[in-house]
Amino acid sequence: MSLLFVISTVMAGIANAQWYEATGTAYIIDGDIERARDQAVQEAVKSAIVFAGASISSIQQVENGTLTQDTISYQSNGELVGLEVLSQTTSGDTLSVHVRAEIFAEPQCSSSGLTHTITIARFPLAHRQHAAYGGIYDIGAAVSKVMHTSIEQTSNYLKSHLWLDEVVAYEPTQLMPHPEVDALARTLARRTNSQYVLLGQVRDISVSQEESVNLAFWTYQPKPRSLAIELDLLDGMTGELVKRFRYQDRVLWGFPPDQTVDPFSADFWQSDYGKAWGRLLSDAQSDIETALSCAPSIANIINRQEAGVIVNMGSLDGISQGQTAKLTRMTTFMDPFGKVKTSFDTSGIELVVSAVEARQAYLTTKYPSALANVNINDVVIFNGVNQEW
């Protein structure tokens, strides 16, 4: 899905609230104008709310361009008070709407201004037999690769270090009771030099078995096909689950039943079914960005020198010369249930970036003796833009 928007602000009469204008676009799938309109309105509202300084998750409460409740709250620091659709246009299979939204936004948390590094592993199929219709056995690989590429090309907040073309052995529904998943996340994060790991599973791509109403047996009628995915965002430092995301939809599968479709092909992604996957992945990317919007930017110490340390983040991650950070010691311990836990002990030692390369940076301190007890795999936490230490 493409998203182009222009936002302007007009002061509202209500204290602490402002009017914002934004434009959102959506594909028209299966000729469903109303659905595309709802999706375009949601994208426009997302844009306006983010511009206003509030965080947001996927919007589900907008129907036919109107609010389904008096107010909608977003992560307790932003509220959509009013909404008006100003115009609607279509061009080919794309629909655009221009909206005017009244938003109350509380200040967000301080941010380091850096990207959060993430690794995405190939998503396996929960039910492989679902892929037989159309032969889309590689749908999990294609979806995860497209998500990696989208983050790389479009995200200002995430940096996808690597797409792992391998199935990671884990079952999402069994995630919480299994401590070994923590170790898996930490191992993958160290292996790929990332702070977070995204694992997932394609839960449903089944085709409806409803009989066609067309009595002409030689005429193929497209059948509805589900698309559902579950994603787990894991902290690569601690191995713990940050957040679980679930998405699902159902659109017509427009290919003949005997045609094998390559899910990596342009034909697939330009079909109505592929476009639905594109929208779902766009929502997931937005939700992951929101989930990490207040998370600190943490880098591992990979080498220690006489007057400073080298960390595994660099200019590609937004590190710049002169930026400051706090030295933090990371320790692990066993909780009463036998699960490995991680704790961070922030010291009073402040570091400054003296030199930076693409994927690493050299930080120094005024007091080199303070680094005597620093160990490899200790971490530094970069200071927020407006944060006071």
Side-chain angles (χ1 to χ4, degrees):
M1 171 178 296
S2 61
L3 175 61
L4 301 174
F5 56 87
V6 178
I7 301 177
S8 61
T9 60
V10 182
M11 294 302 295
I14 301 176
N16 299 323
Q18 290 184 336
W19 282 99
Y20 297 81
E21 292 188 15
T23 299
T25 64
Y27 289 117
I28 301 172
I29 298 176
D30 300 336
D32 193 337
I33 299 293
E34 291 303 320
R35 173 177 172 171
R37 185 172 187 263
D38 289 343
Q39 293 174 349
V41 169
Q42 291 172 15
E43 291 299 329
V45 172
K46 280 185 182 181
S47 302
I49 289 179
V50 171
F51 186 82
S55 60
I56 186 172
S57 295
S58 292
I59 304 173
Q60 305 261 339
Q61 302 103 318
V62 177
E63 294 180 359
N64 297 322
T66 61
L67 296 176
T68 58
Q69 21 180 320
D70 292 336
T71 60
I72 301 175
S73 296
Y74 301 92
Q75 303 256 329
S76 75
N77 70 343
E79 187 174 86
L80 177 61
V81 181
L83 175 65
E84 178 184 0
V85 176
L86 302 179
S87 64
Q88 173 180 319
T89 59
T90 58
S91 177
D93 62 352
T94 301
L95 182 145
S96 300
V97 296
H98 190 68
V99 305
R100 186 169 179 258
E102 187 179 14
I103 299 167
F104 171 78
E106 297 178 1
Q108 288 195 71
C109 57
S110 176
S111 170
S112 66
L114 304 180
T115 57
H116 293 294
T117 55
I118 188 172
T119 288
I120 301 174
R122 183 172 62 186
F123 305 148
L125 299 178
H127 306 285
R128 184 172 172 80
Q129 66 272 21
H130 288 178
Y133 197 92
I136 55 173
Y137 294 100
D138 287 334
I139 181 67
V143 167
S144 55
K145 180 65 179 293
V146 166
M147 189 168 192
H148 160 77
T149 302
S150 175
I151 289 175
E152 279 292 274
Q153 295 178 350
T154 66
S155 180
N156 294 321
Y157 310 102
L158 301 175
K159 175 69 69 174
S160 183
H161 269 184
L162 190 66
W163 172 62
L164 293 176
D165 188 16
E166 57 188 67
V167 174
V168 177
Y170 97 110
E171 167 58 45
T173 58
Q174 300 295 323
L175 176 63
M176 301 307 292
H178 290 277
E180 60 266 24
V181 176
D182 293 2
L184 171 64
R186 291 194 296 268
T187 299
L188 289 176
R190 286 194 299 269
R191 173 181 159 192
T192 60
N193 213 27
S194 299
Q195 187 176 349
Y196 296 95
V197 175
L198 185 69
L199 304 180
Q201 189 174 70
V202 177
R203 303 294 296 173
D204 187 6
I205 52 172
S206 60
V207 178
S208 172
Q209 298 304 311
E210 298 175 1
E211 293 294 332
S212 172
V213 297
N214 193 326
L215 300 179
F217 65 87
W218 59 84
T219 303
Y220 166 66
Q221 292 294 313
K223 292 185 177 181
R225 188 166 199 167
S226 298
L227 53 154
I229 194 169
E230 186 170 81
L231 302 174
D232 287 325
L233 180 63
L234 302 170
D235 189 319
M237 297 287 181
T238 66
E240 295 182 347
L241 177 69
V242 177
K243 194 166 184 179
R244 173 167 287 171
F245 308 91
R246 293 184 177 92
Y247 306 91
Q248 63 183 14
D249 202 347
R250 196 182 191 205
V251 299
L252 291 180
W253 175 258
F255 299 96
D258 59 347
Q259 180 178 344
T260 299
V261 181
D262 180 3
F264 283 95
S265 69
D267 285 345
F268 174 85
W269 289 98
Q270 290 173 4
S271 69
D272 287 346
Y273 189 73
K275 289 174 183 177
W277 268 110
R279 172 174 171 76
L280 184 150
L281 295 179
S282 177
D283 286 344
Q285 179 177 321
S286 175
D287 291 344
I288 292 171
E289 291 173 345
T290 295
L292 298 180
S293 61
C294 292
S297 295
I298 303 177
N300 281 104
I301 295 174
I302 57 177
N303 195 1
R304 194 189 74 182
Q305 299 187 355
E306 183 176 348
V309 297
I310 297 176
V311 300
N312 65 343
M313 291 179 67
S315 58
L316 291 179
D317 306 304
I319 302 292
S320 59
Q321 191 166 348
Q323 193 154 10
T324 59
K326 283 288 186 180
L327 177 64
T328 302
R329 292 185 171 87
M330 186 172 68
T331 59
T332 59
F333 62 94
M334 196 80 70
D335 71 9
F337 302 99
K339 188 173 182 179
V340 177
K341 294 287 188 178
T342 303
S343 65
F344 295 94
D345 181 18
T346 303
S347 71
I349 303 172
E350 187 168 89
L351 304 169
V352 61
V353 177
S354 299
V356 61
E357 298 179 8
R359 284 289 173 85
Q360 65 182 33
Y362 178 56
L363 287 74
T364 58
T365 178
K366 294 181 180 178
Y367 309 103
S369 60
L371 302 177
N373 297 321
V374 172
N375 298 311
I376 304 300
N377 287 330
D378 279 344
V379 301
V380 299
I381 298 180
F382 286 91
N383 294 352
V385 175
N386 299 314
Q387 186 172 351
E388 295 181 1
W389 293 81

